[in-house]
Amino acid sequence: MWGAFPLYFPLLEPAGAWEILGHRILWSLVVAGALVVIVGRRAQVAAILRDRRKLLLLAAAAAVISINWVTYIWGVNNGRIVETSLGYFTNPLVTMLMGVLILREKMRKLQWVALGIAFVAVVVLTLDYGRLPWVALLLAFSFGTYGLLKKSAGVGPFESLAVETAVTAPFALALIVALQVAGHGTLVGNGALHVLLMISLGVATVVPLACFGAAAIRVPMVTIGLLQYLAPILQFAVGVFIAHEAMPPGRWAGFAIVWVALVIFSAEAVHHRRKVLRELVAPAATPTA
């Protein structure tokens, strides 16, 4: 579903990125709020609202994910689908780097190798684009920051999204009204289908998140990490084969270097997990006297 977003957001035109963002926040609040009630998480939401630290962390997360959303929507609707996919290809490496710089986590040798190769890829792509791939970098760093804030808050996905969208909903509503008053809003005068598509933003945002949350408790994290590459792979395929975005040789080279970095990163993660599991199982298998 996340991989199909580049096909979905153009359907919302003539709405611009900021209007789509406003509606995405408002309708996500409606859907997430309904799910909180249906799955019985009202007590957890109330607890978050009483916890100043968690509330501030989620407010910061809401601001960061809003930047991520509007950047992605703008990129998709302005012929930069391939560049948006680059942002999500590099996100695991950016997240790893943030863990080192902010959480003081230690990286293993092959992780450093993967990160170095990814840096080379950014240099190659910068030379090819004639500029920094700022859409990709902004997506990667904003989503990495979002993940860091969510990890620090330590709350469930439904109540988290409900609180995040509730925090930003007043700004989203003000944005929609301002655009409508200024004559730039598209909700009125573009037919019932356009209205329904804008309302569907809530479902389109919350349903993939719900699926991810359901998978997280059923599937090993290493498997989930590898499966998450499906989204940028599908986005890249949409950009190249459906939207027919330009892919000169230098761009192919840059993406190839990124993919090499991700193969090293993923293989090292799988190997390390298996090693840790063997070490945990070995003592239990050792017979006692």
Side-chain angles (χ1 to χ4, degrees):
M1 286 184 278
W2 279 326
F5 271 8
L7 297 174
Y8 171 66
F9 286 125
L11 299 177
L12 304 177
E13 293 179 341
W18 287 103
E19 186 181 10
I20 294 172
L21 173 68
H23 282 281
R24 187 175 188 183
I25 291 170
L26 282 183
W27 297 113
S28 294
L29 172 59
V30 172
V31 177
L35 280 174
V36 164
V37 174
I38 292 169
V39 301
R41 310 292 284 182
R42 286 176 291 181
Q44 288 84 346
V45 171
I48 293 170
L49 297 177
R50 291 192 299 268
D51 189 321
R52 187 170 179 271
R53 176 182 173 275
K54 287 184 177 180
L55 188 57
L56 287 174
L57 284 169
L58 291 182
V64 171
I65 200 61
S66 295
I67 294 170
N68 179 275
W69 283 357
V70 77
T71 303
Y72 182 79
I73 295 164
W74 184 91
V76 165
N77 286 355
N78 284 273
R80 297 191 181 183
I81 297 173
V82 169
E83 191 176 343
T84 64
S85 75
L86 176 65
Y88 291 108
F89 274 126
T90 56
N91 177 65
L93 301 170
V94 169
T95 300
M96 180 175 64
L97 179 62
M98 294 178 72
V100 173
L101 297 177
I102 298 172
L103 300 179
R104 301 300 179 187
E105 295 177 351
K106 292 185 177 180
M107 289 204 313
R108 298 178 293 276
K109 183 187 292 185
L110 281 178
Q111 289 178 320
W112 280 111
V113 171
L115 196 62
I117 293 172
F119 177 78
V120 172
V122 171
V123 172
V124 170
L125 288 167
T126 299
L127 293 173
D128 176 77
Y129 279 114
R131 56 172 175 79
L132 272 174
W134 65 268
V135 169
L137 293 174
L138 188 53
L139 287 173
F141 277 96
S142 60
F143 201 74
T145 303
Y146 178 68
L148 182 64
L149 291 166
K150 296 265 282 189
K151 180 179 180 180
S152 300
V155 300
F158 294 133
E159 52 267 40
S160 174
L161 185 61
V163 172
E164 290 167 35
T165 50
V167 167
T168 50
F171 302 99
L173 182 59
L175 176 62
I176 292 169
V177 171
L179 288 170
Q180 204 68 44
V181 170
H184 301 301
T186 65
L187 192 63
V188 178
N190 285 283
L193 179 60
H194 182 69
V195 173
L196 290 173
L197 284 169
M198 296 293 269
I199 293 174
S200 72
L201 279 162
V203 174
T205 299
V206 176
V207 170
L209 180 67
C211 292
F212 179 80
I217 60 176
R218 293 172 172 84
V219 182
M221 289 308 294
V222 169
T223 304
I224 287 179
L226 294 174
L227 286 173
Q228 280 187 280
Y229 290 128
L230 281 175
I233 287 171
L234 291 170
Q235 291 163 8
F236 179 83
V238 169
V240 174
F241 301 113
I242 297 179
H244 302 293
E245 292 186 7
M247 282 294 292
R251 208 158 300 171
W252 277 110
F255 270 87
I257 295 169
V258 169
W259 294 331
V260 169
L262 291 177
V263 168
I264 293 171
F265 173 80
S266 302
E268 195 279 337
V270 171
H271 174 75
H272 179 72
R273 178 176 171 80
R274 288 176 177 171
K275 180 181 177 183
V276 170
L277 289 175
R278 283 196 301 269
E279 291 172 352
L280 289 172
V281 171
T286 303
T288 56

